[in-house]
Amino acid sequence: MSGELEFGEEDRTQTLLQVWDLCLALLSTKVSPVTFNSFLSDTRPLSYTGNVVTLGVANPFAREWLESRAANAIRSALEFHLNTSGLQVKIVVMPRETSIPGAASGRKDASDAKRVLQPKLPLDEGEDAGATEAASTMSAKPSTTPPRVTPKSSGSRSGSKGAVPALPGLPLNERFTFETFVVGRSNRLAFAGAMNVAERPGAVYNPLFLYGGSGLGKTHLLHAIAHAIKRTNPKMRVAYVSGEYFAQHYINALKEHATDEFRRQYREIDVWLVDDIQFIAGKEHTKEEFFHTFNVLYQSGRQVVIASERSPRDLNTMDERLRSRFQSGLIADIGPPDLETRIAILEMCRQREGAEVSDEVLHYIGSAIQSNIRALEGALTRLLAYSSVMGVPPTVELAQNVLGEYLIDKPIPARGLTPEAIIQAVADQFGVDAAEIVGTNRNKDVSLARHVAMYLCRELLPEQRARHIGAAFGRRDHTTFLYACQRIITLQEIDPELRQAILRLRRSLGR
């Protein structure tokens, strides 16, 4: 469909209506599911005047989200399907009763216009699945998607006004209990704190803040607390959520104008377990709602447990008022397990699987994989699977042959990390010279590498002064760093390859 029209504004707008479905299909592959399902699926094409395309959204939060996280992707999709370039995209907040542009023009059937503009939302109960098969493929998995927030609920609860609100939360892993958690020197304090909280929720260590690297047992302890409390206090309302779940749930409430019911759901929880809190660190509206929810629960004596990959003092994009509250209870770090603990974890896996694996093999795996419990368990599982398929015993020699991807070099220690080390790592990753990153070269690839390096310096070196980091980049100022960080945050939403490259860089730099 050509965008080079010789018709009037009405014809150009009609063309926009005709291609918007195609744009949505393309955008569903370019932006995150959160952005697409929460905001883009509800966005309406309003007009195409000159080189300006105007889109309508339901509320100011949706406009802010799309402008900051998806503007480039939207513009690219429109330019592709309108066969033009240099478009400007304007996003406006529209009343709910906004009429469909061009619906009565006679150029497009009204039912077709309605099909273009109606959002593709997840199916409600009783809705015909076949009628919206395409939309259902874009929905998140039911087990991890926050419920749609509506003012309707059923049942009653003593001491509460009206009906009991739905209990938000993600499913629990039945294997993650205190009995299956292997205690060692690196996690003893965290385990003891979690046990005390489970025995006396709200009475001790409130809040409890657990932090440590990925795959070290934070989620295991959160689930263990939930299981123990449900077993001993079945009437308690226990909710386990992730930072991403909370953010998505709040976005849904904003979309559906149901924030009051959302707040009821969370503020009547007795034990609130929040995993991966760092996910909401850069989300201003979500942080504000989280702060008020935390305050209500904390001040009324309900138990709050937080897990994060970083300590409260390192969550530098969190408000100081939130960080100070996190620090008011017990803070327990979970470090990489020592060799004895790693072998004990492998022995538990061997027992659970009923596998015949020698102590020598377990010692080899435990010695080779030092930083991640998930990697330990994954390595043993892969070895057993290979042994079964090939019909050979799981020996040390076999482990050496099949576990290559797990036996990676140890990362550079995070301690002593400098801006220069980050710049060099980024230069190696992107195939450019470090001198070009700190210089004035405006090549597209060099510019992207420069912005990634700035972003990582701000993320990984929060304790260093901006002046010192800026000097490493040719004395660039604070505004340049802000632009670079915002650009990389936005690009990660729409570019999975860039997101993976940054994750690899973090691992190589010990973070």
Side-chain angles (χ1 to χ4, degrees):
M1 177 81 53
S2 173
E4 300 172 357
L5 301 175
E6 298 181 359
F7 307 129
E9 291 179 3
E10 183 179 347
D11 299 279
R12 296 170 70 84
T13 297
Q14 193 61 47
T15 301
L16 173 65
L17 290 173
Q18 292 170 348
V19 304
W20 182 243
D21 261 356
L22 301 175
C23 292
L24 285 178
L26 178 60
L27 286 166
S28 70
T29 68
K30 298 295 183 182
V31 302
S32 70
V34 169
T35 297
F36 185 86
N37 291 326
S38 301
F39 301 116
L40 272 170
S41 62
D42 279 342
T43 300
R44 296 187 177 190
L46 299 180
S47 66
Y48 180 14
T49 305
N51 69 334
V52 179
V53 170
T54 302
L55 305 175
V57 294
N59 54 63
F61 185 60
R63 179 181 62 192
E64 179 183 337
W65 182 285
L66 292 178
E67 286 177 343
S68 64
R69 295 170 181 271
N72 290 337
I74 293 172
R75 181 170 54 253
S76 296
L78 286 166
E79 288 179 344
F80 178 79
H81 284 296
L82 291 171
N83 192 24
T84 188
S85 61
L87 281 182
Q88 296 180 26
V89 179
K90 182 179 179 182
I91 301 176
V92 300
V93 179
M94 61 182 183
R96 281 182 170 267
E97 61 272 13
T98 298
S99 60
I100 301 171
S105 67
R107 299 181 183 275
K108 187 173 181 68
D109 185 89
S111 63
D112 288 342
K114 183 176 180 181
R115 176 183 58 79
V116 170
L117 297 172
Q118 288 301 312
K120 295 181 175 68
L121 295 175
L123 298 178
D124 292 326
E125 286 188 28
E127 191 174 355
D128 183 85
T132 52
E133 180 180 355
S136 68
T137 63
M138 299 175 187
S139 305
K141 295 180 180 179
S143 62
T144 58
T145 301
R148 297 181 65 185
V149 186
T150 64
K152 298 178 182 179
S153 57
S154 58
S156 60
R157 183 186 183 194
S158 176
S160 65
K161 295 181 180 180
V164 180
L167 185 65
L170 295 168
L172 299 174
N173 188 321
E174 294 299 326
R175 286 202 300 111
F176 289 173
T177 65
F178 286 123
E179 292 74 21
T180 60
F181 189 86
V182 178
V183 183
R185 284 178 292 182
S186 62
N187 58 28
R188 187 169 287 118
L189 178 61
F191 179 80
M195 285 283 287
N196 276 276
V197 163
E199 291 170 0
R200 293 187 293 164
V204 293
Y205 304 146
N206 196 18
L208 172 63
F209 192 102
L210 308 175
Y211 75 94
S214 177
L216 295 181
K218 302 184 301 295
T219 298
H220 191 140
L221 285 178
L222 292 183
H223 286 220
I225 292 171
H227 285 308
I229 294 175
K230 284 172 173 283
R231 195 164 53 240
T232 57
N233 298 281
K235 292 185 179 180
M236 275 195 161
R237 292 170 60 83
V238 181
Y240 164 76
V241 305
S242 66
E244 182 176 11
Y245 178 99
F246 181 83
Q248 179 62 58
H249 198 177
Y250 180 55
I251 291 165
N252 289 349
L254 288 174
K255 286 176 56 184
E256 298 169 13
H257 303 279
T259 52
D260 288 343
E261 179 63 15
F262 170 88
R263 288 166 184 153
R264 281 193 66 216
Q265 289 183 12
Y266 280 89
R267 298 178 188 186
E268 292 195 20
I269 290 171
D270 296 311
V271 179
W272 194 27
L273 309 161
V274 187
D275 208 350
D276 291 324
I277 189 62
Q278 73 277 354
F279 182 85
I280 70 169
K283 299 171 171 57
E284 295 303 322
H285 295 82
T286 304
K287 279 194 299 187
E288 186 72 18
E289 188 62 33
F290 182 90
F291 172 78
H292 293 299
T293 302
F294 179 97
N295 261 1
V296 168
L297 297 178
Y298 175 74
Q299 292 174 2
S300 59
R302 264 78 66 79
Q303 179 69 52
V304 180
V305 183
I306 308 290
S308 170
E309 291 186 354
R310 305 181 189 178
S311 69
R313 65 178 177 274
D314 290 334
L315 291 171
N316 49 309
T317 53
M318 281 284 194
D319 295 345
E320 178 58 33
R321 57 182 180 171
L322 259 179
R323 287 190 288 167
S324 66
R325 280 160 175 76
F326 292 161
Q327 294 171 339
S328 64
L330 174 65
I331 301 174
D333 71 309
I334 303 178
D338 56 29
L339 178 60
E340 291 180 355
T341 305
R342 296 197 298 272
I343 293 175
I345 291 169
L346 291 170
E347 287 176 344
M348 181 173 288
C349 292
R350 176 176 63 182
Q351 182 178 359
R352 184 179 69 238
E353 299 293 335
E356 295 184 1
V357 185
S358 69
D359 291 343
E360 183 184 13
V361 171
L362 297 188
H363 191 279
Y364 169 76
I365 297 174
S367 299
I369 302 173
Q370 303 178 15
S371 61
N372 191 303
I373 294 172
R374 292 194 193 117
L376 273 177
E377 295 180 339
L380 181 58
T381 299
R382 176 167 180 172
L383 176 63
L384 293 176
Y386 194 91
S387 170
S388 175
V389 170
M390 300 302 295
V392 295
T395 62
V396 171
E397 291 74 23
L398 184 65
Q400 291 172 336
N401 290 331
V402 303
L403 299 182
E405 69 181 73
Y406 293 96
L407 310 181
I408 59 176
D409 293 332
K410 296 172 67 175
I412 301 169
R415 184 176 298 174
L417 190 62
T418 64
E420 290 76 15
I422 293 175
I423 291 169
Q424 187 60 57
V426 173
D428 294 340
Q429 176 76 44
F430 283 80
V432 301
D433 291 334
E436 291 181 315
I437 291 180
V438 300
T440 58
N441 190 321
R442 294 185 177 274
N443 174 276
K444 184 174 67 172
D445 293 336
V446 174
S447 178
L448 177 61
R450 181 182 299 126
H451 289 165
V452 169
M454 289 180 173
Y455 168 80
L456 287 173
C457 282
R458 290 291 296 270
E459 285 286 302
L460 304 184
L461 303 173
E463 72 282 355
Q464 294 200 19
R465 293 181 178 274
R467 184 185 305 170
H468 175 64
I469 298 177
F473 287 85
R475 301 191 181 280
R476 285 180 166 85
D477 60 20
H478 180 64
T479 304
T480 304
F481 274 79
L482 287 179
Y483 170 78
C485 292
Q486 186 57 54
R487 183 191 178 205
I488 297 305
I489 290 171
T490 302
L491 287 176
Q492 286 186 89
E493 286 285 326
I494 62 176
D495 190 341
E497 290 185 8
L498 177 63
R499 188 162 60 246
Q500 289 301 316
I502 291 175
L503 285 174
R504 288 194 297 272
L505 282 164
R506 281 180 175 275
R507 285 197 294 266
S508 71
L509 292 166
R511 294 293 178 96

